[in-house]
């Protein structure tokens, strides 16, 4: 009987079965950043241990790095301490670091693929929930906590529960103005934020197959928001084309051999799945979250739900409506926004910035809106500048920043103030996520964020009559 990619990669990386029922898995690549590692490195020092595989470990600085003023020492003492600790730890333990001055610096889930560190068939771990991003390449990639970071540093292994596999087939053509972000928000809305518990999500179908790697990364990135432990796409020619020539990818003859192996780890045609879901792309419209988790979303033309609607817990809906300042039956279109944020590991790649730039070109941000673009990596920023996208955004009234996690979370100077409402291309709309305990986040595609910035309120990007939507 055929196997899924998950089963193949899992079997190939199994060290042994543990008495707990877990599997001890070897980790091919450990990505490290400044926030979830200081205690893990301290634990190693206390025990006199070394890092088992510094050659399989790569560090960058992203979560707390300022995106405006980057002179050292940082004004934020905690940020300075964390970065200094990561620099010291990388030096002491022999780990490569894409530091603050490095051209390779950026959000960990943007630079891994960009550098070709992320490859098909790998097991990957990182102390950040959105490590599932790397599954876009046919890797099995786990977000882990600080104690597991310590375990991986010390042993290059993880103890993991077995997973079931749900295949999510997306079929048909996405309407213009509807993006990968809308697809994944729709999936999370339909299956629920806990619907993926105990599952790996395999994204398949002709819509996924036609997607670029950037789009596949957007989809896999938010698997965790649907409760799935990992999400992946089977590697194919699109994957190989993206990887070819990247710094850490085998070159020449070795690349051809790698390609053969990468192809072999894709799910077999006769693989069986624990569950299957079909999403019809042609029926989708731009999606916006109205509540306080990524599953609380509606299409741009719909009205926010009422606690009496079937589906979610009535109390959860009441609570979310109160927090967001909405009433049952309100339209999401027309909700005033104070801030527009284009950034994060979900949607701050070059193609995202290009699409948002198409929307804002020749227009201007509404006077009451603070709008910023934060490239996912220094390389994305440079590439965008070469194309003149920074000028397009600046001319429209956006701030153009240096790479980092920025306003995706409130751990750096980019924060919401008070009750501000933010149209965001990021991945979490939890209460207080963007740095203000009462700040409100509306998740949507980068093009929709751009449209909201221009209109000063949530608006359907398709109404702006953009002639040049990417096909
Ligand atoms: S952009 Fe947001 S989700 Fe992504 S790594 Fe940074 S903090 Fe985590």
């Amino acid at each position: 009987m055929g196997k899924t990619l998950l089963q193949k990669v899992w079997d190939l990386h199994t060290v042994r079965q543990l008495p707990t029922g877990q599997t001890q898995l070897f980790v091919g690549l450990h990505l490290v950043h400044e926030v979830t590692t200081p205690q893990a490195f301290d634990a190693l020092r206390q025990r006199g241990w070394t890092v088992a595989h510094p050659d399989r470990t790569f560090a960058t600085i992203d979560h707390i790095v300022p995106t405006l003023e980057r002179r050292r020492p940082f004004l934020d003492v905690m940020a300075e301490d964390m970065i200094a600790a990561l620099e010291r730890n990388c030096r002491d333990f022999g780990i490569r670091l894409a530091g603050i001055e490095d051209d390779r610096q950026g959000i960990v889930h943007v630079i891994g693929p960009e550098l070709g560190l992320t490859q098909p068939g790998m097991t990957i771990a990182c102390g950040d929930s959105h490590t599932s991003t790397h599954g876009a390449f046919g890797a099995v990639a786990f977000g882990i906590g600080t104690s597991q970071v310590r375990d991986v540093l010390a042993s290059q292994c993880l103890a993991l529960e077995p997973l079931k596999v749900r295949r999510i087939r997306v079929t048909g053509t996405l309407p213009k103005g509807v993006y990968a972000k809308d697809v994944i928000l729709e999936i999370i809305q339909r299956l629920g934020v806990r619907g993926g518990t105990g599952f790996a999500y395999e994204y398949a179908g002709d819509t996924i197959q036609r997607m670029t790697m950037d789009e596949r990364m957007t989809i896999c990135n938010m698997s965790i928001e649907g409760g799935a432990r990992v999400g992946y796409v089977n590697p194919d020619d699109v994957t190989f084309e993206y990887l070819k020539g990247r710094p850490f990818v085998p070159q020449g003859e070795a690349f051809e051999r790698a390609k053969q192996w990468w192809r072999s780890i894709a799910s077999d045609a006769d693989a069986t799945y624990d569950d299957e879901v079909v999403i019809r792309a042609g029926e989708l419209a731009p999606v916006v979250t109205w509540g306080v988790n990524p599953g609380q979303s509606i299409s741009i033309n719909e009205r926010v739900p009422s606690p009496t609607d079937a589906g979610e817990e009535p109390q959860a809906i009441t609570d979310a409506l109160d927090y967001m300042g909405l009433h049952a039956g309100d339209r999401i279109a027309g909700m005033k926004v104070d801030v527009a944020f284009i950034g994060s590991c979900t949607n701050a790649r070059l193609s995202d910035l290009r699409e948002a730039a198409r929307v804002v070109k020749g227009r201007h941000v509404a006077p009451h809106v603070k709008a910023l673009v934060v490239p996912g990596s220094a390389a994305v920023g440079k590439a965008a500048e070469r194309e003149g996208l920074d000028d397009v955004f600046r001319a429209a009234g956006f701030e153009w920043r240096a790479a980092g996690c920025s306003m995706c979370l409130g751990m750096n100077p980019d924060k919401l103030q008070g009750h501000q409402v933010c149209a965001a291309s990021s991945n979490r709309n939890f209460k207080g996520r963007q740095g203000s305990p009462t700040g409100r986040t509306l998740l949507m595609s980068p093009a929709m964020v751009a449209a909201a910035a221009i209109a000063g309120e949530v608006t359907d990007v398709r109404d702006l009559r953009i002639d040049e939507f990417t096909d």
Side-chain angles (χ1 to χ4, degrees):
M1 195 171 41
K3 285 181 167 181
T4 62
L5 177 143
L6 180 90
Q7 290 163 336
K8 293 183 193 182
V9 174
W10 192 278
D11 291 350
L12 284 167
H13 291 81
T14 294
V15 178
R16 62 185 169 129
Q17 298 302 330
L18 299 171
T20 55
Q22 294 172 304
T23 305
Q24 185 182 9
L25 275 193
F26 186 76
V27 174
L29 172 67
H30 188 195
L31 295 166
V32 166
H33 61 85
E34 73 278 20
V35 172
T36 48
T37 54
Q39 295 105 316
F41 281 111
D42 286 350
L44 259 62
R45 271 201 192 84
Q46 282 159 16
R47 293 167 173 82
W49 293 347
T50 56
V51 171
H53 277 281
D55 54 318
R56 291 183 176 275
T57 313
F58 194 95
T60 189
I61 289 168
D62 53 8
H63 283 62
I64 58 165
V65 67
T67 60
L68 203 51
E69 175 53 76
R70 300 182 90 149
R71 248 178 320 175
R72 301 283 297 272
F74 297 143
L75 292 173
D76 179 347
V77 176
M78 194 184 76
E80 179 59 35
D81 285 352
M82 272 190 181
I83 290 187
L86 184 65
E87 289 168 337
R88 188 177 61 250
N89 289 328
C90 287
R91 234 181 2 252
D92 291 356
F93 290 96
I95 294 169
R96 294 158 296 179
L97 168 66
I100 194 89
E101 304 290 350
D102 197 308
D103 286 348
R104 302 171 301 177
Q105 182 265 336
I107 305 174
V108 64
H109 311 312
V110 177
I111 67 153
E114 209 168 67
L115 294 171
L117 287 160
T118 302
Q119 293 173 22
M122 272 185 169
T123 46
I124 298 178
C126 173
D128 183 90
S129 308
H130 298 87
T131 306
S132 54
T133 312
H134 305 264
F137 291 80
V140 175
F142 300 95
I144 56 176
T146 295
S147 57
Q148 290 173 304
V149 171
R150 174 203 61 203
D151 296 349
V152 178
L153 287 172
S155 67
Q156 204 62 28
C157 290
L158 266 179
L160 291 157
E161 312 287 340
L163 292 171
K164 294 181 283 186
V165 185
R166 172 177 291 143
R167 179 161 65 173
I168 301 178
R169 285 201 304 118
V170 188
T171 65
T173 305
L174 284 172
K176 285 190 189 297
V178 180
Y179 299 90
K181 180 64 158 287
D182 302 303
V183 173
I184 189 62
L185 284 172
E186 181 78 20
I187 289 170
I188 298 167
Q189 183 203 118
R190 286 200 203 172
L191 302 179
V193 288
R194 285 185 286 278
T197 307
F199 280 95
Y201 279 177
E202 176 177 313
Y203 301 101
D206 59 287
T207 316
I208 301 287
Q209 281 164 1
R210 278 194 303 276
M211 282 184 175
T212 63
M213 290 313 298
D214 285 7
E215 293 172 304
R216 294 178 187 183
M217 282 188 258
T218 297
I219 299 265
C220 289
N221 174 276
M222 290 191 70
S223 305
I224 191 78
E225 304 304 336
R229 191 71 179 86
V230 302
Y232 66 86
V233 177
N234 285 305
D236 59 11
D237 288 340
V238 177
T239 321
F240 311 145
E241 201 45 47
Y242 176 99
L243 289 172
K244 196 172 183 178
R246 297 201 178 252
F248 286 92
V249 171
Q251 311 288 328
E253 204 26 55
F255 180 73
E256 295 307 315
R257 281 200 306 277
K259 239 166 75 170
Q260 269 184 24
W261 185 73
W262 292 339
R263 235 184 257 287
S264 76
I265 56 104
S267 295
D268 296 323
D270 59 346
T272 54
Y273 294 87
D274 300 286
D275 190 29
E276 181 148 41
V277 172
V278 177
I279 305 281
R280 302 206 189 286
E283 295 169 2
L284 303 186
V287 179
V288 180
T289 59
W290 60 266
V292 292
N293 71 53
Q296 291 179 322
S297 70
I298 47 177
S299 295
I300 182 68
N301 297 321
E302 290 179 332
R303 293 174 183 272
V304 299
S306 143
T308 55
D309 290 347
E312 230 185 319
E313 282 281 303
Q315 190 49 45
I317 295 182
T318 304
D319 183 47
L321 289 173
D322 284 352
Y323 184 84
M324 296 301 291
L326 286 164
H327 302 97
D330 282 352
R331 285 195 182 281
I332 198 72
M335 183 169 179
K336 188 174 166 235
V337 303
D338 307 295
V339 178
F341 168 59
I342 298 174
S344 88
C345 58
T346 314
N347 276 128
R349 297 182 178 81
L350 186 58
S351 56
D352 299 314
L353 305 194
R354 282 182 184 146
E355 207 60 20
R358 281 193 185 97
V359 176
V360 305
K361 192 169 185 178
R363 297 187 161 99
H364 205 279
V365 168
H368 67 275
V369 174
K370 174 189 171 75
L372 61 161
V373 181
V374 187
S377 68
V380 167
K382 281 218 173 74
E385 285 166 11
R386 277 196 298 274
E387 294 184 14
L389 300 185
D390 57 328
D391 291 336
V392 172
F393 284 114
R394 282 203 192 92
F398 278 81
E399 296 176 34
W400 179 256
R401 299 290 188 87
C405 295
S406 182
M407 214 179 252
C408 174
L409 84 175
M411 286 193 82
N412 56 67
D414 303 339
K415 296 183 203 305
L416 295 186
Q417 307 292 325
H419 288 79
Q420 280 182 324
V421 174
C422 179
S425 71
S426 51
N427 46 51
R428 282 192 167 159
N429 51 342
F430 300 162
K431 293 177 182 174
R433 167 73 175 178
Q434 292 189 280
S436 161
T438 51
R440 294 168 286 171
T441 306
L442 306 171
L443 302 177
M444 58 190 83
S445 72
M448 284 285 285
V449 175
I454 302 297
E457 59 184 35
V458 176
T459 194
D460 190 337
V461 66
R462 298 171 301 180
D463 293 344
L464 294 182
R465 303 193 193 291
I466 313 296
D467 298 330
E468 294 183 60
F469 280 129
T470 306
D471 284 326

